[in-house]
Amino acid sequence: MIYLDNAATTFPKPESTYYYMNKYTREIAANPGRGSHSMAVESAEIIFETREMLAEFFNIEDSMNIIFTKNCTESLNVGIKGVLKSGDHVITTSMEHNSVLRPLSTMESRGVELTIVQGDEFGNVDPEDIKREIRENTRMVVTTHVSNLTGTIVPIDEIGRICREKGVVYMVDSAQSAGLLEIDVKKQNIDILAFPGHKNLFGPMGIGGLYIGEDIEIENFIEGGTGSLSSEMVQPDFMPDKFESGTPNLPGIAGLKGGLEFIMETGREEIKRREEYLVKAFVDIIGSTWNIQTYGPKDLSKRSGVVLVNIKDMDSSELASRLDREFSIAVRPGYHCAPLAHKTIGTYGKGAVRFSFSWFNTMKEIEKASSALLRIAEECSKEG
């Protein structure tokens, strides 16, 4: 199979990811923080080391301000529902994933005022539009860093600056950017950062994280065993224990460490350049075909390794099915859990097919995928 669904989860993973997951499943598998024996201590050490690496990666001063979750969606829910209260006002954009829109919709039903700033047809978001919507009771602005639909890069530097000037909490959904683009929580004025392990950080599924700035108060909604203050019946109020109840995903955290090591050894900029190279090659081949439509910024430097396409008059699910069935090419059709984004770019009602590339894709795969797409488009043209 030619795997071009990396925006959903990267595959394959680096060997370092597999190595650590195997080691911390077969050799070191004790419950960290719950015992003083050597295996439990080593389990705790790998978690600490991974937390420290993430802190270095995102320029976070204190690694204890990073909590582990099961995915980016859980992280977003913790941040959004833990900060917002009835009477608060929150701003987001029309380019968000449902993992932002649905928690915000729930909070709106609980008395939070919600403003959704409209993006343009290419998925671009203007920071000035966000600035104009800030009110006295605006508590939070939450935006994606990269659209999972069009790959459009959102100007979080400017949005973060505006939020800091206005005293508004800025939360960033880095589901599509963590590991690929520079994220510096200090320089970009990010108060809360949600990230997954299984995408551009090259870790396994089932692990994610949340950075919470030191001055940000967030309520936890899960209590239980932490291995700390075990004689007390109340949850510890210090980080990260306040949010990390129960047995952690040790193989997942260890696998994430393997992914981080791979990125640091390979170079984040080198990974980004390779994705840009693959995207440009793909777009150059399919771009001149009259009945293939692409979406998102025309300037490829302003997008990630995602190309969204439709073939005129063909259902996106049918196109994805043919690519899978006839050419063994894995892509993602439909609405991509981002209905407002589809409305923004004009594909609501029909959806679109997302090709998403990563480090382990090759030019040979790009050529085969583009050739398959051109062949189907040509057949549709003859039928029309």
Side-chain angles (χ1 to χ4, degrees):
M1 174 178 281
I2 297 175
Y3 184 82
L4 299 176
D5 193 22
N6 290 283
T9 189
T10 50
F11 177 81
K13 307 297 183 182
E15 285 302 316
S16 52
T17 299
Y18 298 130
Y19 166 78
Y20 277 108
M21 291 190 71
N22 183 64
K23 179 177 180 179
Y24 285 88
T25 302
R26 292 178 179 273
E27 300 174 24
I28 309 295
N31 204 323
R34 271 69 171 178
S36 58
H37 55 82
S38 59
M39 189 181 289
V41 170
E42 188 166 348
S43 296
E45 285 176 352
I46 194 74
I47 293 176
F48 175 77
E49 289 169 8
T50 307
R51 218 187 296 267
E52 287 283 291
M53 289 179 72
L54 287 166
E56 179 184 351
F57 203 75
F58 297 129
N59 195 24
I60 294 167
E61 190 168 329
D62 186 353
S63 69
M64 295 298 106
N65 287 333
I66 300 169
I67 64 170
F68 289 111
T69 62
K70 67 175 182 288
N71 49 44
C72 193
T73 297
E74 182 180 355
S75 297
L76 289 164
N77 272 265
V78 171
I80 289 169
K81 295 176 179 177
V83 169
L84 295 174
K85 305 289 184 296
S86 179
D88 288 340
H89 174 238
V90 60
I91 301 170
T92 192
T93 82
S94 66
M95 294 307 295
E96 305 306 314
H97 190 276
N98 274 342
S99 54
V100 169
L101 296 175
R102 287 179 173 175
L104 289 179
S105 178
T106 294
M107 297 312 293
E108 188 177 26
S109 72
R110 297 176 183 174
V112 173
E113 298 176 73
L114 172 62
T115 296
I116 300 176
V117 170
Q118 189 69 25
D120 67 18
E121 62 181 309
F122 302 105
N124 296 306
V125 174
D126 187 345
E128 289 300 314
D129 290 341
I130 292 175
K131 184 177 182 179
R132 278 189 287 271
E133 296 294 341
I134 294 177
R135 312 171 189 169
E136 283 189 10
N137 66 329
T138 302
R139 174 66 174 144
M140 173 186 282
V141 170
V142 52
T143 75
T144 188
H145 189 184
V146 172
S147 167
N148 75 307
L149 185 64
T150 59
T152 309
I153 299 172
V154 174
I156 65 170
D157 297 63
E158 181 64 15
I159 297 171
R161 184 189 63 77
I162 291 169
C163 289
R164 184 54 48 89
E165 289 175 356
K166 297 291 185 179
V168 174
V169 173
Y170 186 35
M171 182 174 188
V172 173
D173 171 9
S174 68
Q176 298 294 330
S177 62
L180 184 66
L181 302 181
E182 179 188 20
I183 298 177
D184 184 323
V185 300
K186 292 182 182 178
K187 185 171 73 174
Q188 295 166 320
N189 294 303
I190 299 170
D191 296 300
I192 307 174
L193 178 72
F195 59 91
H198 68 104
K199 298 190 181 186
N200 290 308
L201 289 176
F202 295 103
M205 298 182 200
I207 190 66
L210 183 70
Y211 158 72
I212 303 170
E214 291 183 1
D215 299 327
I216 308 301
E217 287 294 326
I218 295 183
E219 288 189 12
N220 60 306
F221 52 87
I222 296 177
E223 293 86 27
T226 59
S228 58
L229 304 182
S230 296
S231 62
E232 299 182 8
M233 290 179 62
V234 295
Q235 186 77 3
D237 63 356
F238 51 83
M239 295 283 284
D241 298 40
K242 179 179 178 180
F243 296 94
E244 290 187 350
S245 293
T247 300
N249 179 0
L250 179 64
I253 295 170
L256 176 56
K257 183 177 189 291
L260 289 165
E261 286 186 358
F262 169 77
I263 295 169
M264 291 177 175
E265 289 170 4
T266 306
R268 182 185 53 77
E269 288 292 340
E270 186 63 26
I271 294 171
K272 178 69 165 61
R273 276 193 293 270
R274 181 169 179 80
E275 280 200 19
E276 289 176 347
Y277 171 70
L278 296 174
V279 168
K280 184 178 187 306
F282 185 74
V283 171
D284 284 348
I285 296 171
I286 68 169
S288 60
T289 306
W290 72 272
N291 62 339
I292 296 180
Q293 184 173 2
T294 61
Y295 306 87
K298 302 302 179 186
D299 183 349
L300 300 184
S301 68
K302 296 181 179 180
R303 62 194 294 172
S304 67
V306 169
V307 181
L308 193 72
V309 307
N310 268 320
I311 292 178
K312 184 177 174 61
D313 299 327
M314 175 178 269
D315 182 80
S316 63
S317 294
E318 180 187 353
L319 174 55
S321 179
R322 286 194 59 182
L323 287 167
D324 180 33
R325 187 176 64 250
E326 299 173 22
F327 301 96
S328 291
I329 297 171
V331 292
R332 168 82 183 273
Y335 286 111
H336 311 86
C337 301
L340 294 189
H342 274 280
K343 289 181 179 179
T344 300
I345 67 171
T347 52
Y348 191 81
K350 60 181 178 181
V353 174
R354 183 182 68 189
F355 291 76
S356 49
F357 311 103
S358 188
W359 173 264
F360 292 103
N361 289 125
T362 65
M363 270 305 301
K364 186 175 181 180
E365 290 177 328
I366 300 307
E367 290 166 358
K368 287 183 177 180
S370 55
S371 176
L373 190 61
L374 291 173
R375 180 174 164 182
I376 295 172
E378 183 181 358
E379 291 174 5
C380 289
S381 176
K382 289 177 180 178
E383 291 171 3

